Short mmCIF file of all heavy atoms in Angstrom, two decimals:
data_model
loop_
_atom_site.label_atom_id
_atom_site.label_comp_id
_atom_site.label_asym_id
_atom_site.label_seq_id
_atom_site.Cartn_x
_atom_site.Cartn_y
_atom_site.Cartn_z
N MET A 87 7.77 -17.71 4.74
CA MET A 87 8.41 -16.58 3.99
C MET A 87 7.37 -15.58 3.58
O MET A 87 6.28 -15.96 2.91
CB MET A 87 8.93 -17.22 2.65
CG MET A 87 10.01 -18.32 2.83
SD MET A 87 11.45 -17.75 3.70
CE MET A 87 11.10 -18.38 5.35
N THR A 88 7.59 -14.41 4.02
CA THR A 88 6.48 -13.30 3.75
C THR A 88 7.15 -11.94 3.77
O THR A 88 8.01 -11.69 4.74
CB THR A 88 5.33 -13.37 4.76
OG1 THR A 88 4.62 -12.20 4.69
CG2 THR A 88 5.80 -13.60 6.16
N PRO A 89 6.81 -11.03 2.90
CA PRO A 89 7.38 -9.68 2.95
C PRO A 89 6.89 -9.02 4.16
O PRO A 89 7.52 -7.95 4.60
CB PRO A 89 6.88 -9.03 1.62
CG PRO A 89 5.73 -9.92 1.26
CD PRO A 89 5.85 -11.28 1.75
N GLN A 90 5.91 -9.52 4.92
CA GLN A 90 5.40 -8.84 6.11
C GLN A 90 6.09 -9.34 7.41
O GLN A 90 5.77 -8.96 8.54
CB GLN A 90 3.93 -9.20 6.31
CG GLN A 90 3.11 -8.69 5.07
CD GLN A 90 1.57 -9.05 5.21
OE1 GLN A 90 1.11 -9.31 6.25
NE2 GLN A 90 0.90 -9.01 4.12
N CYS A 112 6.98 -21.83 1.53
CA CYS A 112 7.17 -20.85 0.45
C CYS A 112 5.77 -20.53 -0.17
O CYS A 112 5.15 -21.43 -0.67
CB CYS A 112 8.03 -21.42 -0.65
SG CYS A 112 9.60 -22.03 -0.17
N GLY A 113 5.42 -19.30 -0.06
CA GLY A 113 4.10 -18.88 -0.60
C GLY A 113 4.26 -18.57 -2.09
O GLY A 113 5.25 -18.68 -2.74
N HIS A 114 3.04 -18.38 -2.58
CA HIS A 114 2.93 -17.86 -3.99
C HIS A 114 1.64 -17.15 -4.18
O HIS A 114 0.88 -16.98 -3.23
CB HIS A 114 2.89 -19.17 -4.95
CG HIS A 114 3.99 -19.03 -5.91
ND1 HIS A 114 5.26 -19.38 -5.79
CD2 HIS A 114 3.99 -18.57 -7.18
CE1 HIS A 114 6.10 -19.12 -6.83
NE2 HIS A 114 5.27 -18.63 -7.73
N TYR A 115 1.35 -16.59 -5.32
CA TYR A 115 0.02 -15.90 -5.62
C TYR A 115 0.03 -14.68 -4.70
O TYR A 115 0.98 -14.02 -4.42
CB TYR A 115 -1.05 -16.81 -5.63
CG TYR A 115 -0.84 -18.11 -6.32
CD1 TYR A 115 -0.97 -19.42 -5.60
CD2 TYR A 115 -0.45 -18.19 -7.68
CE1 TYR A 115 -0.62 -20.53 -6.28
CE2 TYR A 115 -0.14 -19.41 -8.29
CZ TYR A 115 -0.29 -20.58 -7.66
OH TYR A 115 0.02 -21.79 -8.20
N GLU A 116 -1.19 -14.46 -4.09
CA GLU A 116 -1.41 -13.46 -3.13
C GLU A 116 -0.90 -13.73 -1.78
O GLU A 116 -0.89 -12.79 -0.90
CB GLU A 116 -2.90 -13.00 -3.18
CG GLU A 116 -3.30 -12.00 -4.16
CD GLU A 116 -2.34 -10.90 -4.32
OE1 GLU A 116 -2.02 -10.17 -3.39
OE2 GLU A 116 -1.80 -10.64 -5.50
N GLY A 117 -0.40 -14.90 -1.50
CA GLY A 117 0.03 -15.32 -0.21
C GLY A 117 -0.91 -16.38 0.40
O GLY A 117 -1.46 -17.14 -0.28
N PHE A 118 -0.88 -16.35 1.75
CA PHE A 118 -1.46 -17.52 2.53
C PHE A 118 -2.71 -17.10 3.24
O PHE A 118 -2.96 -15.96 3.64
CB PHE A 118 -0.49 -17.86 3.60
CG PHE A 118 0.86 -18.34 3.26
CD1 PHE A 118 1.92 -17.37 3.07
CD2 PHE A 118 1.07 -19.60 3.10
CE1 PHE A 118 3.04 -17.71 2.66
CE2 PHE A 118 2.34 -20.04 2.80
CZ PHE A 118 3.38 -19.14 2.53
N LEU A 131 9.32 -14.63 8.22
CA LEU A 131 10.65 -14.03 7.88
C LEU A 131 10.54 -13.31 6.49
O LEU A 131 9.89 -14.01 5.52
CB LEU A 131 11.71 -15.02 7.77
CG LEU A 131 12.14 -15.70 9.13
CD1 LEU A 131 13.19 -16.74 8.98
CD2 LEU A 131 12.64 -14.56 10.21
N SER A 132 11.12 -12.15 6.39
CA SER A 132 11.27 -11.42 5.13
C SER A 132 12.77 -11.20 4.76
O SER A 132 13.50 -10.90 5.76
CB SER A 132 10.43 -10.01 5.31
OG SER A 132 11.01 -9.14 4.26
N ILE A 133 13.07 -11.30 3.57
CA ILE A 133 14.41 -11.06 3.21
C ILE A 133 14.59 -9.53 2.83
O ILE A 133 15.72 -9.14 2.40
CB ILE A 133 15.00 -12.04 2.17
CG1 ILE A 133 14.29 -11.94 0.82
CG2 ILE A 133 15.01 -13.36 2.62
CD1 ILE A 133 15.12 -12.50 -0.40
N GLY A 134 13.59 -8.67 2.87
CA GLY A 134 13.79 -7.39 2.56
C GLY A 134 12.50 -6.66 2.20
O GLY A 134 11.54 -7.40 1.94
N TYR A 136 10.70 -5.63 -0.32
CA TYR A 136 10.28 -5.74 -1.70
C TYR A 136 9.55 -7.04 -1.87
O TYR A 136 9.61 -7.88 -1.05
CB TYR A 136 11.47 -5.74 -2.65
CG TYR A 136 12.65 -6.66 -2.22
CD1 TYR A 136 12.61 -7.99 -2.39
CD2 TYR A 136 13.70 -6.06 -1.62
CE1 TYR A 136 13.71 -8.82 -1.96
CE2 TYR A 136 14.74 -6.86 -0.94
CZ TYR A 136 14.74 -8.19 -1.26
OH TYR A 136 15.75 -8.98 -0.81
N VAL A 137 8.79 -7.09 -2.99
CA VAL A 137 7.84 -8.39 -3.11
C VAL A 137 8.32 -9.29 -4.19
O VAL A 137 8.48 -8.87 -5.38
CB VAL A 137 6.39 -7.84 -3.32
CG1 VAL A 137 5.52 -9.02 -3.47
CG2 VAL A 137 5.93 -7.04 -2.10
N LEU A 138 8.63 -10.45 -3.79
CA LEU A 138 8.95 -11.49 -4.80
C LEU A 138 7.66 -12.22 -5.31
O LEU A 138 6.66 -12.21 -4.72
CB LEU A 138 9.86 -12.49 -4.12
CG LEU A 138 11.15 -11.99 -3.51
CD1 LEU A 138 11.78 -12.96 -2.48
CD2 LEU A 138 12.14 -11.74 -4.60
N THR A 139 7.88 -13.06 -6.36
CA THR A 139 6.74 -13.81 -6.88
C THR A 139 6.45 -14.90 -5.98
O THR A 139 5.30 -15.33 -5.84
CB THR A 139 7.15 -14.38 -8.28
OG1 THR A 139 7.74 -13.28 -9.08
CG2 THR A 139 5.98 -14.99 -8.95
N GLY A 140 7.43 -15.39 -5.36
CA GLY A 140 7.19 -16.65 -4.46
C GLY A 140 8.26 -16.69 -3.33
O GLY A 140 9.23 -15.89 -3.43
N GLY A 141 8.09 -17.53 -2.39
CA GLY A 141 8.98 -17.65 -1.21
C GLY A 141 10.19 -18.54 -1.54
O GLY A 141 11.06 -18.67 -0.64
N ALA A 144 13.48 -16.48 -1.42
CA ALA A 144 13.74 -16.04 -0.03
C ALA A 144 14.21 -17.29 0.82
O ALA A 144 15.19 -17.09 1.63
CB ALA A 144 12.42 -15.50 0.49
N1 LIG B 301 0.28 -10.19 -1.17
C1 LIG B 301 1.40 -10.39 -0.32
C2 LIG B 301 1.62 -9.25 0.44
O1 LIG B 301 1.37 -8.12 -0.04
O2 LIG B 301 2.15 -9.40 1.57
C3 LIG B 301 2.61 -10.81 -1.18
C4 LIG B 301 2.56 -12.04 -1.92
S1 LIG B 301 4.00 -12.46 -2.79
C5 LIG B 301 3.49 -12.01 -4.47
C6 LIG B 301 3.92 -14.19 -2.96
C7 LIG B 301 4.88 -14.91 -1.92
O3 LIG B 301 6.18 -14.58 -2.12
C8 LIG B 301 4.65 -14.62 -0.41
O4 LIG B 301 3.58 -15.35 0.11
C9 LIG B 301 5.97 -15.06 0.21
O5 LIG B 301 6.10 -16.45 0.47
C10 LIG B 301 7.00 -14.72 -0.87
N2 LIG B 301 7.69 -13.30 -0.65
C11 LIG B 301 7.48 -12.23 -1.48
N3 LIG B 301 8.36 -11.31 -1.03
C12 LIG B 301 9.05 -11.70 -0.03
C13 LIG B 301 10.03 -11.27 0.85
N4 LIG B 301 10.44 -9.99 0.74
N5 LIG B 301 10.58 -12.09 1.82
C14 LIG B 301 10.14 -13.28 1.95
N6 LIG B 301 9.17 -13.85 1.13
C15 LIG B 301 8.59 -13.08 0.17
#
Side-chain angles (χ1 to χ4, degrees):
M87 302 298 100
T88 165
Q90 302 179 19
C112 305
H114 235 83
Y115 317 120
E116 275 312 306
F118 301 87
L131 295 178
S132 164
I133 62 162
Y136 42 82
V137 177
L138 300 160
T139 311

